[in-house]
């Protein structure tokens, strides 16, 4: 044992080395505390004005895919304004066809009994709206706790409130019911919320839009492209029409008119943005912003709206790009004979909105198709457009105001606003004088003035005219499929025009993730 | 902090280098030369590799491949002959110069030493589930990767080659272990260093020995990284004896066998199909297809056009030297494999030097260094429709010309839209030839260690390991080609440059103390280790080149901001470990181990974890009562239980990250935007696996038959899973520890010496394993997770194929009227599906779903068999590996059986339904009606897409011959011929490789919950080689 002890002493230096090296690492707690160096974390974000600016900017971003890819499917093709030009050489687009054919696969939730659908457009629209809501909730939860310039703060807060209100307004109009999230989701169990009623959602939109209207700057002082107090008031006015709160609608819409911030553009075709100019013009109340180029902020709208197959030679005159490509697959959002017939004689809006093209490779006997011209603006590169999407135009403010007044049984006061819109289109004053006639005149005017701006389905629902309008429209298609761009022998599916609910089913994929529906 | 540590390492390493440079080797004067032959007592065949040692001295040598040796003996009277598996023998040196010895097989046969975690044990004493492979068993297999050589050799280990790309695609799953998201590859430990880089870059010729640790008792010393099993790799060390030089060379040719390739329509058949398509639809036939026979001599087989016969070569030079104090082993290798797909090349230059210097009898230092360089250019072969050129080639209309009238490769092809041609098809031969997709890897592993034995039985060892890696990836897509379908050519030229540079540093300090008290034998291990990893990545994507010849950054007009980024990744791990090994009379065995890990990857609340294990062994055959059982000469029972972890969850997953590239546009200005895009989980921690193992080792007839059986039961809990959450939250997933999966299985291995006669020896090694799993729980309130084609459901094995059950086609109107239908989409001749919920209609998804589990990607059992025959100077080996009962999803059928005729069709589609009078084989439905009808068959996952993929593959056949050379320079020479991937026995019809799975190759449908997808990856070639081994 003595021997052992001596050796142990000799070992001491070695042991010391080992302990020393152990101490280097273990002694330093930071050795195990590694934070990401190329990304910010929630611990380091929302600390200053710049963080909130960036967060508000990001909250606008989901609007680009919403309006480029979804709104026109759910808001326009799901109406009598547009349809799909069936290309029987191509099959794989039934999600869009189902929407246009009022034949979406529906089922009932086993939890709540509410209607569900597996349609991908519905799912994506829903998710994108909640992306806006989650981003704005994060901003609104933190912004009051951070001290910075008051004017900047109210402008940022106003934008966040507007965007949240806008997203909920979309949800309530598409679905009639939806989960209501107003706080930041922190973990898995908080992810799903109970469904809120239509009234609860309307109330939330109203509260947010009202506050936004107070906080936001007017258009003349706001950076072009951002929402303004005018945008918020228009959103509020739109909401009031749905709620049938006509006096409130009149008040808030009139504030826009009297603000002097907006004008109709001299001609209808000038109301719409070009690919790099005429954006956010005098008529624009709220536009979703796109930018042409390789950086990824572009749209591709018109490419979704053209019939197919189209050769590049046929395409080039429309887009005027340097590198046109053949278009295959199936096009969408093609004006129906119904909307074409809806324009009055000499309405300048007809030629400004719709043009025709002959497709040499079409299997239809008549190879001529109409297409939406008002968004087909010349651009540089194939598939890459930069024109903005008009969400609210001053023309709609005027028509909404006319409606709000007429619904208070003052058709004589309403016609001024209606006529402003008609006269700009080269049409004479309206001949309507009774409240009922005026209501019909405004409804018709909205259809042509706001054609292809994703308003038609909402107008039909809001005025409770699904049975009156969609049922005969479906019958016409089934009776004369060739008039609705089907090639000889091809017909809509036999379950077309069977699902005429005012609201879309909630997404089945989300139902699977929520205990509430 | 890091700088300090590097300095510390640098100091230690430089000390060792200086010490080594001072070493001077002395030569001994020697007296007489003894020569002789060592033979097997039973067969009288020479035994190569026997250590011949002069007792009482350091002088020793090894026998050559014929069993001959030659040794200078200064003083000493006795030679000691020892070799693994044989009894040691001492022979006195007489007056003559020749001493021969014949060795008897060690009846216990288990004196062999097995490398285990942080040490080694004799096989006899091993109490865990460990399988050992000597590099000699796998030396002639002409492949680039070590894991390829192990196919069919290991019980309980499923090794699949998911793609034939050289240097890629090996999927290794030990005991079926799969994590949902946390990675399922085993931990590879090379010379004690858990490496972070790509194991496929290791030159297999450097390997001396491989141990696969399967149960928790064996792996728990690797703590939070051990749950997927551990593969311990030992590289070649200097062996006692004279300096030897070896050269191994082989060269060969690879080709893709015709058998198994997907049978597609040729040009004439395709034109006929299109003609019938229009006829059946009652439409005029486009002029292009009115006369199919005009394509008879104009077939274009786009798939074949991408393949070639390609050479493979390997050169490996090894030097082994061992003087009194310094032992060195050097392996230098050059490997060059041209791929069987055009323009594919894989080259590896590698070097390894392992040295050990004994400063005194109880102090030694060692220094290993292994640099390597790999060049890999791979066309974009693997991937889904649209990205993988092999997949794309299958789709391309065979009527489209590969070359134009002048013999030039076409740029791209399309037919008029009136023919139903929707897509542009770029020329895939150009895509293979002209796209650059190369990666250059520089890799350096170094280990330095110092070992001191201050007193008998006590060993102190400190090691310092460095793994340095860098890779340069360069991709260039010139304007004249593209790998994507429907991109017109000329296209926009794009370049991507991605550089990764990183380092992993590990310091380990271990103390081992072995002591026996009477018949009680103890060994105690204690240690402290810490490891730190960092990697830096820079990626630059540029596009729009005016000149394809200059893909420089300055030559690009645009830098793509979305594709340009840099990232910095770090992790660190601090661990304490300890193990006690005890046996009584070598009969009752006990091992207990514990490791404690602290990891930077886990949330602040859960940084530390402890992983204990214990195992017991009982050598029953040593008991007196066993003596009566004569036929069984060895029997050992083993049992173990332990807790292990899996920390492969990526770095920083516990944090909520802010994405600051979500930019908005206002007017003509871009405004930077940022949003929190993930949710934080500070409680995030490692996956825990508790594993129980019971094993039995038996030896019969003097170990001529060895039998090994293991049963295991594992419960993996705290599954690291990115749980899908309701997206109304604004987020898609939440990283959490949820659920539980149970794994269990039986493994059998048998090694037999079938014939051991004079000059003729035949041995067989075979194994079979049955691995099972079942999901016990998922997250609270979540009983299933859907993938595109899969479902993971509580109570079922995970990742099962999920879809509708196909039941032929509606044969006629009556059949249609009497059967459940898809509302609005079923018609005479369309696919008929089963209405499982009996609600009268067929529903895909949602609450009235008719889908069910339609197959499992997991085999019922896997097996392997190796036969080795030695006859005189000839040796013959045949290795086979197989799998039974697994299914694959034939992904290409979504397109190649698309009845709209958009793509080329599988030949089988000739036998589709055309009319009630001409119903075909009832497999494929009618083309009539367009997507509304055909879309069901094509787009709704159903049982037609699934096929059994059981297979048995003859992996390797080698025939060798030892050339009798009487030359002073050349001691021995062996030539051999081999065939790798000789033949695949399978009924699978979806493609040439039944081992494939998109899982693991980073494409499309990958992920552990969605295995078994056949994306028509790079086929595994058959390789014919000739080789030569020379020893000097």
């Amino acid at each position: 044992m003595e021997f052992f002890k001596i050796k142990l002493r000799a070992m001491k230096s070695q042991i010391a080395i080992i302990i020393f090296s152990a101490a280097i690492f273990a002694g330093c707690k930071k050795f195990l505390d590694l934070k990401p160096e190329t990304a910010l974390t929630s611990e380091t974000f929302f600390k200053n004005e710049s963080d909130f600016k960036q967060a508000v900017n990001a909250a606008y971003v989901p609007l680009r895919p919403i309006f480029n890819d979804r709104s026109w499917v759910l808001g326009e093709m799901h109406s009598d304004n547009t349809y799909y030009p069936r290309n029987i050489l191509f099959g794989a687009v039934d999600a869009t066809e189902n929407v246009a054919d009022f034949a979406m696969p529906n089922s009932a939730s086993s939890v709540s009994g509410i209607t569900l659908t597996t349609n991908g457009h519905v799912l994506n629209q829903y998710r994108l709206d909640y992306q806006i809501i989650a981003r704005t909730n994060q901003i609104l939860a933190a912004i009051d706790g951070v001290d910075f310039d008051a004017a900047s703060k109210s402008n940022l807060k106003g934008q966040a409130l507007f965007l949240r209100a806008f997203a909920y307004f979309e949800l309530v109009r598409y679905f009639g019911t939806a989960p209501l999230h107003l706080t930041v989701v922190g973990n898995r169990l908080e992810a799903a919320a109970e469904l809120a009623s239509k009234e609860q959602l309307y109330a939330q939109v109203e509260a947010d839009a009202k506050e936004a209207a107070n906080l936001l700057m007017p258009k003349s002082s706001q950076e072009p492209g951002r929402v303004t107090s005018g945008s918020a008031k228009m959103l509020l006015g739109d909401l009031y029409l749905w709620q049938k709160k006509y006096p409130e609608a009149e008040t808030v819409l009139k504030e826009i008119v009297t603000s002097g911030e907006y004008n109709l553009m001299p001609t209808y075709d000038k109301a719409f943005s070009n690919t790099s100019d005429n954006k956010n013009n005098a008529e624009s109340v709220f536009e979703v912003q796109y930018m042409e180029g390789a950086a990824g902020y572009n749209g591709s709208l018109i490419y979704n709206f053209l019939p197919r197959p189209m050769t590049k030679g046929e395409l080039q005159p429309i887009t005027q790009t340097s590198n046109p490509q053949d278009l295959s697959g199936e096009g969408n959002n093609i004006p129906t004979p119904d909307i074409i017939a809806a324009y009055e004689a000499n309405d300048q809006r007809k030629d400004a909105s719709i043009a025709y093209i002959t497709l040499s490779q079409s299997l239809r006997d008549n190879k001529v198709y109409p297409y939406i011209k008002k968004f087909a603006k010349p651009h540089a590169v194939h598939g890459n457009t930069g024109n903005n999407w008009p969400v609210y135009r001053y023309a709609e403010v005027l028509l909404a105001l006319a409606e709000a007044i007429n619904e208070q049984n003052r058709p004589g006061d309403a016609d001024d606003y209606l006529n402003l819109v008609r006269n700009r289109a080269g049409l004479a004053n309206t001949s309507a004088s009774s409240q009922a006639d005026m209501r019909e005149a405004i409804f018709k005017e909205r259809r042509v003035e706001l054609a292809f701006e994703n308003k038609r389905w909402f107008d039909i629902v809001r005025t409770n005219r699904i049975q009156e309008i969609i049922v005969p429209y479906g019958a016409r298609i089934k009776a004369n499929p060739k008039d609705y761009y089907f090639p000889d022998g091809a017909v809509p599916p036999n379950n077309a025009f069977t699902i005429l609910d005012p609201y879309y089913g909630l997404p089945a994929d989300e139902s699977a993730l929520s205990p509430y529906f | 902090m890091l700088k300090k540590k590097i300095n510390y390492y640098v100091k230690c390493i430089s000390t060792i280098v200086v010490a080594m440079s001072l070493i001077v080797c002395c030569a001994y004067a020697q007296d007489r030369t003894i020569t002789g032959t060592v033979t097997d007592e039973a067969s009288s065949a020479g035994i190569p590799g026997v250590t011949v040692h002069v007792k009482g001295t350091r002088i020793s040598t090894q026998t050559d491949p014929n069993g001959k040796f030659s040794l200078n003996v200064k003083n000493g009277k006795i030679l000691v002959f020892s070799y693994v598996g044989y009894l040691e023998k001492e022979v006195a040196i007489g007056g003559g110069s020749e001493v021969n010895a014949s060795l008897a097989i060690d009846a216990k046969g288990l004196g062999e030493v097995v490398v285990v975690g942080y040490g080694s044990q004799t096989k006899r004493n091993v109490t865990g589930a460990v399988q050992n492979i000597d590099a000699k068993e796998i030396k002639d297999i002409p492949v680039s990767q070590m894991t390829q050589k192990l196919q069919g050799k290991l019980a309980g280990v499923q090794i699949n080659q998911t793609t034939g790309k050289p240097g890629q695609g090996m999927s290794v799953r030990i005991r079926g272990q799969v994590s949902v998201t946390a990675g399922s590859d085993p931990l590879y430990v090379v010379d004690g260093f858990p490496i972070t880089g790509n194991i496929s870059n290791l030159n297999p010729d450097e390997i001396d020995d491989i141990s696969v640790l399967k149960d928790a008792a064996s792996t728990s010393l690797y703590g939070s990284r051990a749950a997927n099993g551990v593969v311990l790799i030992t590289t070649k060390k200097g062996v006692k004896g004279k300096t030897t030089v070896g050269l191994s060379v082989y060269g060969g040719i690879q080709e893709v066998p015709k058998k198994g390739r997907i049978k597609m329509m040729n040009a004439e058949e395709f034109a006929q199909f299109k003609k019938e398509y229009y006829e059946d639809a009652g439409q005029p036939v486009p002029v292009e297809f009115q006369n199919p026979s005009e394509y008879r001599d104009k077939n274009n087989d786009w798939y074949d056009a991408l393949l070639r016969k390609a050479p493979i070569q390997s050169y490996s030079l090894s030097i082994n030297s061992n003087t009194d104090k310094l032992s060195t082993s050097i392996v230098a290798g050059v490997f060059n494999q041209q791929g069987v797909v055009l323009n594919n090349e894989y080259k590896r230059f590698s070097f390894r030097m392992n040295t050990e210097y004994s400063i005194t009898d109880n102090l030694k230092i060692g220094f290993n260094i292994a640099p390597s360089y790999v060049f890999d250019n791979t066309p974009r072969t693997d991937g889904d429709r649209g990205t993988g050129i092999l997949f794309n080639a299958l789709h391309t209309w065979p009527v489209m010309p590969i070359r134009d009238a002048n013999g030039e490769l076409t740029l791209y092809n399309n037919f008029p839209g009136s023919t139903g041609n929707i897509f542009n098809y770029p020329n895939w031969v150009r895509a293979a030839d002209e796209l650059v997709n190369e990666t250059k890897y520089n890799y350096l592993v170094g280990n330095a260690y110092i070992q001191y034995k201050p007193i008998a039985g006590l060993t102190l060892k400190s090691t310092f390991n460095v793994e340095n890696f860098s890779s340069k990836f360069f991709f260039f897509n010139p304007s004249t080609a593209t790998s994507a379908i429907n991109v017109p050519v000329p296209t926009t030229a794009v370049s991507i440059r991605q550089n990764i540079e990183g380092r992993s540093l590990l310091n380990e300090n271990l103390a081992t103390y072995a002591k026996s008290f009477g018949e009680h034998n103890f060994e105690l291990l204690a240690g402290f280790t810490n490891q730190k990893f960092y990697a830096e990545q820079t990626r630059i994507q540029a596009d729009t080149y005016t000149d394809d010849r200059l893909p420089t950054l300055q030559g690009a007009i645009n830098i793509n901001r979305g594709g340009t980024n840099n990232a910095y990744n770090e992790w660190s791990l601090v661990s304490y470990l300890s193990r006690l090994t005890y046996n009584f009379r070598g009969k009752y065995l006990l091992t207990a181990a514990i490791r404690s890990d602290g990891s930077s990857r886990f949330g602040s609340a859960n940084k530390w974890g402890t992983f204990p294990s214990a195992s017991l062994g009982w050598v029953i055959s040593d008991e007196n009562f066993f003596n009566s059982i004569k036929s069984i000469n060895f029997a050992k029972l083993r049992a173990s239980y332990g807790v292990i972890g899996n920390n492969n969850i990526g770095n920083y997953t516990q944090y909520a990250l802010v994405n600051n590239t979500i930019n908005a546009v206002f007017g003509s200005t871009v405004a930077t935007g940022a949003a929190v895009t993930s949710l934080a989980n500070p409680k995030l921690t490692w996956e825990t696996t508790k594993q129980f193992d019971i094993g039995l080792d038996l030896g019969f007839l003097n170990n001529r038959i060895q039998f090994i059986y293991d049963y295991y039961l594992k419960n993996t809990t705290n599954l690291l899973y990115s749980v899908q959450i309701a997206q109304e939250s604004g987020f898609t997933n939440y990283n959490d520890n949820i659920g539980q999966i149970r794994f269990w299985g039986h493994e059998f291995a048998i090694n037999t010496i079938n014939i051991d006669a004079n000059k003729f020896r035949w041995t067989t090694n075979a194994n079979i394993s049955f691995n099972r799993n079942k999901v016990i729980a998922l997250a609270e309130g979540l009983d299933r997770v859907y993938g595109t084609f899969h479902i993971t459901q509580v109570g079922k094995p995970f990742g099962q194929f999920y879809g509708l059950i196909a039941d032929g086609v509606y044969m006629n109107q009556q059949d249609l009227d009497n059967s459940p239908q898809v509302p609005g989409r079923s018609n005479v001749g369309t696919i008929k599906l089963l209405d499982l919920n009996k609600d009268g209609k067929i529903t895909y998804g949602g609450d009235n779903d008719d889908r069910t589990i339609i197959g499992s990607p997991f085999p019922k059992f896997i097996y392997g068999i190796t036969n080795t025959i030695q006859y005189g100077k000839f040796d013959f080996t045949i290795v086979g590996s197989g799998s039974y009962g697994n299914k694959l999803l034939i992904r290409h059928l979504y397109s190649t059986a698309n009845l709209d005729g958009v793509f080329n069709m599988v030949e089988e589609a000739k036998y589709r339904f055309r009319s009630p009078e001409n119903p075909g084989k009832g497999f494929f439905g009618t083309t009539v009606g367009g997507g509304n009808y055909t879309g069901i068959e094509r787009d709704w996952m159903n049982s037609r897409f699934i096929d059994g993929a059981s297979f048995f593959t003859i992996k390797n056949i080698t025939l060798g011959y030892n050339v009798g050379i009487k030359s002073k320079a050349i001691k021995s020479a062996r030539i051999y011929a081999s065939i790798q991937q000789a033949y695949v026995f399978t009924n699978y019809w979806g493609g040439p490789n039944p081992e494939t799975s998109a899982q693991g190759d980073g494409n499309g449908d990958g992920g552990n919950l969605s295995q078994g997808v056949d994306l028509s990856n790079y086929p595994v070639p058959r390789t014919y080689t000739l080789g030569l081994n020379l020893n000097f």
Side-chain angles (χ1 to χ4, degrees), chain A residues 139-451:
Chain A
I139 297 163
L140 295 169
I143 195 164
D144 289 333
V146 180
D147 192 34
F148 62 91
D149 177 72
S152 170
K153 186 185 277 188
S154 70
N155 193 31
L156 289 169
K157 201 172 162 184
Q159 292 178 65
L161 285 163
F162 174 90
L163 291 169
R164 185 166 78 179
F166 185 79
Y168 275 121
F169 191 46
E170 290 212 311
L171 290 167
V172 69
R173 288 180 298 163
Y174 281 129
F175 301 108
T177 178
L180 184 63
H181 284 274
L182 298 172
T183 53
V184 179
V185 170
N187 60 47
R188 185 165 65 82
L189 299 174
E190 295 169 9
E194 274 182 72
L195 291 177
S197 69
K198 186 164 77 180
E199 289 69 31
Q200 286 171 304
L201 293 168
Y202 280 154
Q204 188 59 45
V205 176
E206 184 177 2
D208 283 351
K210 265 186 175 167
E211 197 183 347
N214 288 332
L215 291 168
L216 283 167
M217 297 188 199
K219 186 173 179 182
S220 48
S221 19
Q222 181 69 293
E223 182 185 358
R226 292 185 186 272
V227 294
T228 62
S229 55
S231 317
K233 285 172 182 169
M234 178 59 214
L235 173 59
L236 207 48
D238 199 356
L239 169 75
Y240 288 143
L241 291 186
W242 279 78
Q243 291 178 300
K244 306 197 190 305
K245 292 181 176 173
Y246 300 112
E248 289 89 338
E250 183 185 352
T251 309
V252 71
L253 291 165
K254 238 181 200 144
E255 282 174 29
I256 304 175
V257 174
T258 55
S259 71
E261 296 273 343
Y262 303 95
N263 276 307
L264 290 180
M265 295 295 280
T267 57
Y268 182 74
D269 60 330
K270 291 280 183 294
F272 304 98
S273 126
N274 288 323
T275 197
S276 57
D277 63 359
N278 198 31
K279 294 184 172 191
N280 308 311
N281 57 40
E283 187 168 337
S284 164
V285 179
F286 176 35
E287 284 181 9
V288 175
Q289 316 280 308
Y290 297 90
M291 182 187 274
E292 209 178 336
Y297 310 117
N298 61 291
S300 58
L301 275 166
I302 189 60
Y303 292 87
N304 297 323
F305 298 171
L306 290 170
R308 288 152 161 88
M310 185 184 281
T311 66
K312 55 187 169 190
E314 290 158 357
L315 175 65
Q316 205 273 342
I318 299 173
T319 60
Q320 297 175 31
T321 58
S322 59
N323 65 336
Q325 313 289 347
D326 295 348
L327 296 182
S328 60
E330 188 165 272
N332 282 302
N333 217 17
I334 298 302
T336 55
D338 310 51
I339 176 82
I340 294 169
Y343 289 94
E344 294 171 44
N346 302 321
D347 189 334
Q348 292 170 4
R349 291 172 296 197
K350 186 174 180 180
D351 286 347
S353 301
I354 297 167
Y356 294 85
I357 185 165
T358 304
L359 301 187
S360 57
Q361 300 184 348
S362 167
L363 293 184
R364 290 184 75 210
D365 296 346
N366 176 357
K367 295 174 185 294
V368 178
Y369 293 81
Y371 70 92
I372 299 171
K373 183 184 172 194
K374 71 183 196 184
F375 300 128
K377 304 289 183 179
H379 49 276
V381 177
H382 181 85
N384 189 313
T385 62
N387 43 319
N388 288 350
W389 183 270
V391 177
Y392 287 126
R393 288 191 289 121
Y394 187 55
E396 188 177 356
V397 176
L398 297 172
L399 292 172
L401 180 55
E403 185 175 341
I405 294 170
N406 185 55
E407 293 301 328
Q408 297 173 74
N409 205 6
R410 284 154 45 214
D413 296 341
D415 64 353
D416 290 350
Y417 300 107
L418 174 62
N419 287 336
L420 279 172
V421 174
R422 286 179 62 82
N423 297 160
R424 196 260 307 255
L427 297 176
N429 286 349
T430 179
S431 59
S433 56
S434 73
Q435 187 193 23
D437 288 352
M438 185 62 71
R439 181 180 293 142
E440 195 57 25
I442 294 168
F443 187 71
K444 282 184 170 169
E445 201 63 41
R446 282 182 68 93
R447 184 179 192 188
V448 290
E449 173 67 29
L450 305 174

Side-chain angles (χ1 to χ4, degrees), chain B residues 191-337:
Chain B
D191 293 328
F193 184 18
I195 62 160
T196 58
N198 187 352
I199 192 69
S200 65
N201 286 349
L202 178 70
N203 175 4
D205 286 338
E206 292 172 9
I207 297 172
D208 187 40
D209 179 273
I210 297 164
S211 281
V212 179
L213 314 183
K214 295 188 279 196
D215 69 331
S218 312
T219 59
S220 70
L221 277 188
Y222 294 96
S224 65
R225 291 182 287 185
N228 299 330
V230 179
V231 178
L232 299 179
I233 295 163
T234 310
T235 61
K236 286 177 177 159
K237 301 277 183 301
V239 194
K240 292 212 164 147
K242 274 206 295 192
T243 299
T244 58
V245 177
L247 178 67
S248 293
V249 179
Y250 69 77
I253 284 286
Q254 314 154 79
E255 64 170 19
V256 178
K258 288 280 180 211
K259 181 190 179 286
R261 293 194 202 179
I262 304 155
K263 288 196 176 67
M264 302 298 296
M265 288 185 180
N266 64 28
E268 186 182 358
E269 289 166 327
F270 180 73
Q272 179 67 31
F273 168 83
K274 292 295 279 189
K275 182 167 181 254
E276 292 169 2
Y277 173 94
Y278 288 100
E279 286 168 358
D280 291 356
Q283 289 167 2
V285 178
V287 62
E288 291 83 356
F289 301 127
Q290 283 171 4
N291 186 11
S293 62
E294 72 181 76
Y295 293 104
R296 187 159 298 162
D297 301 318
K298 293 184 192 164
N299 185 46
N300 294 279
D301 190 328
W302 285 90
Y303 189 82
D304 280 8
L306 291 173
L307 301 180
R308 63 178 181 187
K309 286 187 181 177
I312 182 171
Q313 304 163 56
S314 170
Y315 307 88
S316 187
L317 178 74
S318 57
I319 300 169
N320 174 46
S321 128
N322 188 319
T323 61
D324 189 26
K325 296 197 160 187
L326 181 70
S327 72
T328 306
S329 166
I330 292 171
V331 181
V334 176
F335 177 83
N336 187 344
Q337 181 175 10

Side-chain angles (χ1 to χ4, degrees), chain A residues 7 22 25 31 40-42 54 57 64 88-90 94 108-110 127 179 181 193 289 297 325 328 361 494 510, chain B residues 5 283 417 422 454-455 488 528 530 572 574 598 600 607 656 658 663 665 667 672-674 679 727-728 824-825 847:
Chain A
K7 279 289 184 183
F25 300 99
F31 190 75
L40 296 170
T41 69
S42 55
Q54 293 187 58
N57 294 343
R64 288 204 302 263
I88 57 169
L89 296 170
F90 191 76
D94 49 35
S109 160
S110 51
R127 288 180 169 172
H181 284 274
Q289 316 280 308
Y297 310 117
Q325 313 289 347
S328 60
Q361 300 184 348
N494 52 23
E510 289 295 320
Chain B
K5 257 174 285 153
Q283 289 167 2
I422 287 171
I455 54 168
F528 167 77
N530 51 72
S572 55
V574 175
S600 66
K607 284 225 181 291
V658 173
N663 298 340
V665 173
T672 52
L679 287 164
Q727 291 194 24
E728 55 182 271
R825 301 189 65 184
D847 281 10

